[in-house]
């Protein structure tokens, strides 16, 4: 069991690690050769030019201005200076609201920590329970609820503080929900015109023997939305074409590499082997080999493109349907189209950057089966992941190492090494073990068939949070092996689970403190260093870059990473709320994390990250819901803990807290969540009216006609598509149709201007 001294050693290691990362970043960021690594966002916006173009030979690589080294921490105040409205214009609402999650952590936990140390710590510390017991304990346990004697009236203090902490947390959450909802509505109202504002995605279009999908979609919307329908783009399956194009890009990278290598040493022509990764097979001329490969792929791409463009078999029963007004799109997206609720399903189309084209080709009827398969796979992944985590955790402590490797016992018992193992090793072991988990969860979400990147990230974030809750939180609290933990849960009553977990919580405070320091202190500081993108950029710059365009493509700005970052933040909310009453000593470590992370990620959002899409903070209900979940879990576990402390009079009063918290969540869900899932018709009409007044001659069809074409076909469609015709004010006329049940439509077919979207 880690002592205060062990925690001090761990804190020293992590503080020094964080300081080393921050110092290295401060030096590397001002070197001209690294400018594109640490400021890629400004290059992508065209607002920054490379210092390599105007510098002398030496100053191209090394910053010779020694005064800049004295201001190596100037990036911190600079990261805080940009006002939030300017930040939204610069980085988008998603990024700005994501940063508010860290601010919520500070708003919640700073007052709670002050109250905890002013009230809870003296109440816990002034007892002698652990000193008079035969239990093994650490100095930190003296500051926790474990030091309060059984049946003591002091537990009333913990109960009152639980109410105070709950009310304060709910107040902050309500206030933030209100602010973010207003920010979202203001952002949507003031946002520039975007294709997704006028477009809905229609799925599960029923087959018709007389009409093609494009004809069927056109006639359906001309009949049912005659005054607002504008155009549509049928979705085609272009996944194979995308694979060929990606393969060609890889071949082109190898060709660029060998051509650059040959230009640097013309005396020796490069060669390669035809086998796997060029490791074996016949030796051939590398440039000729990859040139031949690329020419072959060009022919295959041309044939596949023609096949997809002309074959009706490539068409899937889905389409992007655009309307003349936002109001018309809002009505269509938020209403049922037919008597059968499983046909002609409409929803808001993701913005073009947000579309995950590979999944549009998945048949709608198979989505339920896919999600069932993933549910089962995720269940086994979550619970059987306990086995390796339990093994690693058992080895990452003194007793486990001495049992597995008894010959190391004399070395381990050395005080410094012992402190290192107890205060640092468990946290870093768990951190390493979770590295590949986000990629696995993202693959699961893609298999499920979500059609937008934002939906993929939100689903992955939900699964990641559940995984962290079960394996990191519960799995670290409950003692025993993974199978014993699972067996205990399966064979004990639901009423006993809070007691089992509650009694173990105080004993695990030191482990979570070490985890917070490793993941939240050193981990966040390591994020700003961007060591992996730095190395990859310079490797690409040396081996592949021939032009300025190549150099721009070599930059890897990355994104905020909602699917990985937000669940980890939520774990800190969970730990803070659970331990606020039990062991307040943990709270300052969480506050340091939120403060450091806010500064670091604000800097990254301003200078580095280039968000792939803009969802207008659609993820906020998930953030709010997970904090509420953490609050309810903390209340139930405190109830279970107090029930083992013979605090019979105070325990029943805690039952009210989860009920009040659930009521509060339902209130927020009804009051604020509609702003994130529906678009008010009043707002849509206001924006349409203003746009008509400002731009009476706007040709909206030309703006929307090719908005939802697959990126692989974008250039082809722009070259081959006919110019958009002007909107006509002619009276509606009847046009013929092959369908016997619908012999006419109220508008000319030429007005639809339908195009094929290759998905």
């Amino acid at each position: 069991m880690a002592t205060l001294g062990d925690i001090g050693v761990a804190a020293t290691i992590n503080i020094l690690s964080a300081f080393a990362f921050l110092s290295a970043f401060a030096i590397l960021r001002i070197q001209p050769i690294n400018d594109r690594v640490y400021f890629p966002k400004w290059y992508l916006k065209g607002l920054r030019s490379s210092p390599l173009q105007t510098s002398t030979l030496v100053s191209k690589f090394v910053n010779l201005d020694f005064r800049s080294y004295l201001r190596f921490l100037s990036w911190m105040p600079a990261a805080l200076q940009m006002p939030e409205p300017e930040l939204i214009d610069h980085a988008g609402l998603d990024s700005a609201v994501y940063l508010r999650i860290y601010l919520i952590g500070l708003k919640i936990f700073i007052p709670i920590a002050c109250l905890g140390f002013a009230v809870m710590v003296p109440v816990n510390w002034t007892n002698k329970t652990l000193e008079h017991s035969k239990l093994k304990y650490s100095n930190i346990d003296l500051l926790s609820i474990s030091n309060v004697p059984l049946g003591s009236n002091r537990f009333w203090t913990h109960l009152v503080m639980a109410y105070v902490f709950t009310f304060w947390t709910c107040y902050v959450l309500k206030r933030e929900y209100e602010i973010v909802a207003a920010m979202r509505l203001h952002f949507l109202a003031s946002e520039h015109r975007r294709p997704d504002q006028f477009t809905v995605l229609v799925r599960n279009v029923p087959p018709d023997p007389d009409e093609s999908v494009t004809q069927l979609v056109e006639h359906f919307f001309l009949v049912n939305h005659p005054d607002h329908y504008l155009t549509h783009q049928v979705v085609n399956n272009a996944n194979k074409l995308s694979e060929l194009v990606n393969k060609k890009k890889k071949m082109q990278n190898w060709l660029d590499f060998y051509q650059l290598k040959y230009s640097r040493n013309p005396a020796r022509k490069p060669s390669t082997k035809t086998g796997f990764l060029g490791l074996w097979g016949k030796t051939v001329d590398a440039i000729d080999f990859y040139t031949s490969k690329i020419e072959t792929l060009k022919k295959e791409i041309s044939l596949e493109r023609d096949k997809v463009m002309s074959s009706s078999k490539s068409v899937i029963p889905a389409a992007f349907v655009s309307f003349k007004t936002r109001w018309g799109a809002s009505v269509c997206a938020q209403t049922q189209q037919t008597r059968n609720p499983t046909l002609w399903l409409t929803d808001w189309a993701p913005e073009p950057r947000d579309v995950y084209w590979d999944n549009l080709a998945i048949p709608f009827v198979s989505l339920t089966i896919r999600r069932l398969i993933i549910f089962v796979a995720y269940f086994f992944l979550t619970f059987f992941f306990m086995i390796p985590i339990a093994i690693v955790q058992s080895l990452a402590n003194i007793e486990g190492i001495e049992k597995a490797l008894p010959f190391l016992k004399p070395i381990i018992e050395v005080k410094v090494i012992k402190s290192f193992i107890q205060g640092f090793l468990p946290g870093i072991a768990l951190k390493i073990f979770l590295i590949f988990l986000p990629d696995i969860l993202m693959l699961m979400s893609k298999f499920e068939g979500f059609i937008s990147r934002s939906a993929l990230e939100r689903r992955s974030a939900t699964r990641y949070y559940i995984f962290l809750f079960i394996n990191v939180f519960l799995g670290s609290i409950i003692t025993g092996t993974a199978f014993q933990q699972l067996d205990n849960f399966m064979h004990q009553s639901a009423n006993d689970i809070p007691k089992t977990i509650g009694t173990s919580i105080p004993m695990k405070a030191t482990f979570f403190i070490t985890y917070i320091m490793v993941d939240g202190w050193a981990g966040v500081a390591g994020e700003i260093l961007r060591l992996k993108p730095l190395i990859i950029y310079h490797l690409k710059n040396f081996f592949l870059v021939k032009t300025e365009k190549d150099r721009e493509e070599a930059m890897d700005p990355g994104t905020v990473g909602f699917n990985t970052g937000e669940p980890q933040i939520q774990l800190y909310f969970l730990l803070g709320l659970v331990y606020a009453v039990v062991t307040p000593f943990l709270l300052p470590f969480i506050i340091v994390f939120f403060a450091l992370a806010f500064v670091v990620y604000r800097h990254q959002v301003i200078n580095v990250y280039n968000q792939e899409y803009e969802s207008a903070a659609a993820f906020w209900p998930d953030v709010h819901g997970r904090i509420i979940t953490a609050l309810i879990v903390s209340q139930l576990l405190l109830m279970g803990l107090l029930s083992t402390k013979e605090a019979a009079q105070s325990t029943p009063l805690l039952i009210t807290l989860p009920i009040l918290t659930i009521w509060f969540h339902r209130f927020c869900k009804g009051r604020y969540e509609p702003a994130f899932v529906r678009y008010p018709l009043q707002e849509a009409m206001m924006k349409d009216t203003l746009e008509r007044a400002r731009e009476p001659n706007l040709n909206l069809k030309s703006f929307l006609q090719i908005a939802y074409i697959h990126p692989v076909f974008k250039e082809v469609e722009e070259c081959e598509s006919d110019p958009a015709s002007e909107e006509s004010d002619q009276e509606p006329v009847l046009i013929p149709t092959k369908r016997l049940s619908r012999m006419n439509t109220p508008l000319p077919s030429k007005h639809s201007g339908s195009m094929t979207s290759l998905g």
Side-chain angles (χ1 to χ4, degrees):
M1 186 175 292
T3 63
L4 276 177
D6 299 331
I7 296 297
V9 172
T12 302
I13 294 172
N14 285 285
I15 290 172
L16 291 176
S17 300
F19 183 77
F21 288 142
L22 295 175
S23 300
F25 162 73
I27 295 173
L28 290 173
R29 68 184 284 271
I30 60 177
Q31 307 308 318
I33 197 173
N34 298 327
D35 205 56
R36 289 182 180 269
V37 178
Y38 293 109
F39 301 96
K41 189 162 195 163
W42 298 100
Y43 281 94
L44 294 175
K45 285 178 172 287
L47 300 175
R48 192 179 181 97
S49 59
S50 175
L52 301 179
Q53 297 175 352
T54 57
S55 303
T56 60
L57 180 61
V58 177
S59 59
K60 282 185 177 182
F61 301 96
V62 180
N63 187 343
L64 300 178
D65 183 7
F66 294 102
R67 290 174 297 179
S68 61
Y69 292 91
L70 300 177
R71 303 188 302 270
F72 70 100
L73 292 179
S74 61
W75 64 270
M76 287 188 173
L80 301 174
Q81 286 174 357
M82 182 179 286
E84 190 170 63
E86 186 179 341
L87 181 65
I88 293 173
D89 291 338
H90 175 70
L93 185 64
D94 280 346
S95 298
V97 171
Y98 181 83
L99 292 173
R100 292 192 72 92
I101 305 176
Y102 296 106
L103 283 180
I104 288 182
L106 294 174
K107 290 177 181 178
I108 290 176
F109 290 118
I110 289 178
I112 287 179
C114 293
L115 272 177
F117 274 83
V119 179
M120 306 301 299
V121 169
V123 169
N124 296 334
W125 183 57
T126 53
N127 293 283
K128 304 292 183 181
T129 304
L130 291 177
E131 293 181 11
H132 296 157
S133 69
K134 297 180 180 180
L135 298 174
K136 185 178 180 181
Y137 64 91
S138 70
N139 313 70
I140 296 174
D141 293 325
L142 295 175
L143 306 177
S144 74
I145 199 172
S146 301
N147 200 31
V148 180
L150 299 178
S152 172
N153 287 329
R154 297 193 177 201
F155 287 120
W156 285 101
T157 307
H158 299 81
L159 183 140
V160 172
M161 286 296 104
Y163 270 87
V164 172
F165 295 166
T166 296
F167 290 158
W168 172 249
T169 303
C170 289
Y171 169 76
V172 173
L173 287 177
K174 178 185 177 298
R175 181 63 181 152
E176 285 298 317
Y177 216 148
E178 186 177 1
I179 292 172
V180 174
M183 290 171 65
R184 174 180 167 86
L185 291 175
H186 179 267
F187 179 80
L188 293 175
S190 59
E191 191 179 26
H192 294 299
R193 183 169 51 250
R194 290 194 329 192
D196 54 296
Q197 297 171 352
F198 300 87
T199 307
V200 300
L201 174 62
V202 184
R203 306 187 76 181
N204 216 22
V205 176
D208 190 287
D210 299 321
E211 290 185 326
S212 64
V213 173
T214 185
Q215 292 171 328
L216 189 60
V217 170
E218 177 187 22
H219 288 148
F220 180 87
F221 283 94
L222 282 172
V223 168
N224 295 289
H225 299 268
D227 298 327
H228 300 283
Y229 168 73
L230 180 63
T231 184
H232 74 274
Q233 297 166 8
V234 174
V235 180
N236 284 46
N237 184 353
N239 289 351
K240 183 178 179 181
L241 181 62
S242 295
E243 292 176 4
L244 292 173
V245 171
N246 291 333
K247 187 176 180 181
K248 177 178 171 290
K249 288 180 181 178
K250 292 178 181 178
M251 295 295 106
Q252 187 65 50
N253 285 338
W254 280 111
L255 179 61
D256 292 343
F257 167 72
Y258 284 114
Q259 286 178 337
L260 194 60
K261 185 177 180 180
Y262 180 61
S263 66
R264 291 171 177 170
N265 185 14
R268 184 180 178 183
K269 222 172 179 188
S271 62
T272 187
K273 295 182 178 180
T274 58
F276 178 70
L277 294 178
L279 299 177
W280 57 73
K282 183 181 177 181
T283 302
V284 295
D285 182 281
I287 295 177
D288 293 342
F289 175 75
Y290 284 106
T291 301
S292 174
K293 283 274 189 182
I294 291 172
E295 290 300 321
T296 303
L297 284 171
K298 283 182 179 179
K299 294 178 182 178
E300 292 181 15
I301 289 171
S302 179
L303 291 174
E304 181 64 21
R305 183 184 63 223
D306 294 340
K307 177 182 175 182
V308 173
M309 294 283 286
S310 59
S311 174
S312 60
K313 294 181 179 179
S314 67
V315 180
I316 62 176
F320 291 98
V321 180
S322 298
F323 294 81
K324 298 175 182 177
T325 62
R326 297 172 182 83
W327 190 92
S330 299
V331 171
C332 182
Q334 298 169 168
T335 55
Q336 182 175 316
Q337 302 302 308
T338 65
R339 293 180 180 179
N340 188 340
T342 64
L343 299 176
W344 294 99
L345 303 176
T346 57
D347 200 357
W348 281 109
E351 68 156 319
R353 295 179 303 168
D354 193 17
V355 177
Y356 187 70
W357 296 94
D358 291 351
N359 282 356
L360 281 175
I362 298 175
F364 187 82
V365 293
S366 69
L367 294 180
T368 302
I369 299 173
R370 283 171 169 262
R371 287 171 187 175
L372 178 61
I373 293 172
I374 290 300
F375 174 79
V376 175
Y378 177 69
F379 174 83
F380 285 103
L381 172 69
T382 301
F383 283 96
F384 283 94
F385 216 85
M386 286 184 179
I387 299 172
I389 284 183
I391 293 173
V392 171
Q393 290 293 80
S394 65
L395 292 176
N397 60 67
I398 298 294
E399 295 79 9
I401 296 175
E402 290 181 348
K403 186 176 180 180
L405 304 169
F407 60 89
L408 293 178
K409 186 174 181 179
I411 301 175
I412 292 173
E413 291 299 328
V414 177
K415 187 174 181 180
V416 176
I417 297 177
K418 186 176 182 180
S419 297
F420 172 81
I421 293 173
Q422 290 185 321
F424 183 75
L425 192 58
I428 194 66
L430 183 59
K431 175 73 175 174
I432 293 172
F433 217 82
L434 296 174
I435 287 177
F436 300 106
L437 180 65
D439 294 330
I440 297 173
L441 297 179
M442 180 56 75
L443 287 175
M444 285 184 165
S445 298
K446 290 179 179 178
F447 181 81
E448 278 189 284
F450 292 98
I451 52 91
S452 67
R453 298 179 188 276
S454 55
L456 287 171
E457 290 200 349
R458 289 201 296 272
R459 176 52 67 95
S460 297
T462 299
R463 289 212 174 96
Y464 195 16
Y465 175 71
I466 295 172
F467 184 93
L468 292 176
F469 176 77
I470 293 174
N471 283 287
V472 176
F473 181 68
L474 297 183
S476 299
I477 285 177
I478 304 173
T479 56
T481 65
F483 288 116
Q484 288 173 342
Q485 295 173 26
L486 188 58
D487 183 69
N488 288 339
F489 276 114
M490 296 292 289
H491 292 89
Q492 66 182 180
S493 68
N495 295 331
D496 292 334
I497 292 176
K499 295 181 181 180
T500 303
I501 301 173
T503 53
S504 303
I505 285 175
M507 297 185 293
K508 294 296 181 177
T510 53
F511 165 75
F512 287 119
I513 288 173
T514 62
Y515 179 78
I516 291 168
M517 288 189 290
V518 171
D519 181 68
W521 294 10
V524 169
E527 164 65 24
I528 202 170
L529 183 58
R530 306 196 77 228
L531 189 59
K532 180 181 175 182
L534 177 69
I535 294 172
I536 292 176
Y537 170 76
H538 285 302
L539 288 175
K540 287 183 176 180
N541 194 36
F542 184 79
F543 291 112
L544 299 176
V545 169
K546 293 190 294 185
T547 64
E548 280 299 314
K549 183 179 180 182
D550 294 337
R551 187 168 286 107
E552 183 173 311
E553 292 177 353
M555 293 189 302
D556 180 22
T559 63
V560 168
F562 180 83
N563 61 309
T564 57
E566 193 269 346
Q568 291 175 317
I569 301 172
Q570 293 294 346
L571 178 62
Y572 293 113
F573 277 107
L574 176 64
L575 294 176
L577 292 171
V578 167
Y579 280 97
V581 176
V582 177
T583 310
F585 184 78
L586 179 138
L587 295 178
F589 297 90
I590 290 180
I591 291 172
V592 171
F593 158 75
F594 279 116
L596 178 62
F598 176 71
V599 176
V600 166
Y601 282 98
R602 206 172 200 272
H603 172 274
Q604 300 295 80
V605 163
I606 292 172
N607 298 296
V608 181
Y609 298 145
N610 185 45
Q611 199 66 14
E612 295 178 345
Y613 59 85
E614 177 58 64
S615 70
F619 57 80
W620 192 257
D622 295 337
V623 174
H624 176 87
R626 284 196 265 274
I627 299 177
I628 289 291
T629 301
L631 194 57
I632 294 174
V633 167
S634 69
Q635 296 159 358
L636 294 176
L637 296 184
L638 180 62
M639 197 184 308
L641 178 58
L642 290 181
S643 67
T644 66
K645 294 286 189 177
E646 300 180 9
Q649 294 179 334
S650 59
T651 302
L653 294 176
L654 281 173
I655 298 175
T656 310
L657 271 183
I659 297 174
L660 291 175
T661 306
I662 292 172
W663 174 84
F664 167 77
H665 177 58
R666 290 178 63 86
F667 165 77
C668 290
K669 190 177 180 68
R671 174 62 182 85
Y672 302 113
E673 188 173 315
F676 295 86
V677 295
R678 292 191 290 271
Y679 188 47
L681 295 180
Q682 182 186 28
E683 296 287 329
M685 182 60 76
M686 288 173 57
K687 197 164 180 64
D688 287 333
T689 304
L690 286 173
E691 188 172 74
R692 282 195 297 268
R694 292 171 180 170
E695 301 178 74
N697 299 320
L698 173 66
N699 184 359
L700 191 59
K701 180 185 277 190
S702 63
F703 174 69
L704 296 172
Q705 209 162 24
I706 59 173
Y708 284 95
I709 291 179
H710 195 294
V712 171
F713 274 86
K714 199 77 171 181
E715 294 182 4
V716 176
E717 289 294 334
E718 288 176 353
C719 294
E720 296 180 356
S721 61
D722 295 327
S725 60
E726 296 293 328
E727 292 188 23
S728 175
D729 294 325
Q730 296 177 359
E731 291 295 321
V733 297
L734 302 181
I735 63 170
T737 175
K738 295 179 182 178
R739 294 205 49 189
L740 299 177
S741 59
R742 189 189 301 135
M743 295 301 296
N744 56 66
T745 57
L747 286 176
S749 180
K750 66 180 182 180
H751 278 211
S752 71
S754 64
M755 298 186 64
T756 299
S757 176
L758 305 163

